[in-house]
Amino acid sequence: MENFLSACRSRNYKELHDEISNAYLSASLCHLGNISYRVGRKLTIEAGPKFTGDVEANKLLTRDYRKPYVV
């Protein structure tokens, strides 16, 4: 975390010890695990990303944004 914050302050991504793409994958796996825990069942993910045949879990992939702040 210290390395990440230091790179943010300097605005130089080359100071990072690892690529952002690796950090993104690690964080994404945690989010997907939390969604599975919240719905209380095993989930199958497909491209998109979205969960196969699970509307409740798919709703947890994003949120309703307040206009004009739409992602």
Side-chain angles (χ1 to χ4, degrees):
M1 188 60 147
E2 185 178 328
N3 173 248
F4 174 74
L5 293 175
S6 175
C8 287
R9 284 187 204 104
S10 70
R11 297 182 180 196
N12 184 0
Y13 71 92
K14 293 179 182 178
E15 291 181 5
L16 291 171
H17 293 197
D18 201 5
E19 294 291 324
I20 289 291
S21 58
N22 287 335
Y24 165 78
L25 289 174
S26 297
S28 295
L29 288 174
C30 293
H31 292 304
L32 295 174
N34 283 331
I35 291 172
S36 178
Y37 177 78
R38 286 182 179 187
V39 297
R41 59 187 166 272
K42 183 178 177 180
L43 299 170
T44 303
I45 193 161
E46 57 186 54
K50 64 180 182 177
F51 295 105
T52 304
D54 199 318
V55 175
E56 181 184 6
N58 283 329
K59 286 182 182 178
L60 295 173
L61 288 170
T62 188
R63 63 173 73 176
D64 293 328
Y65 291 95
R66 181 173 47 97
K67 290 183 180 182
Y69 306 102
V70 178
V71 177

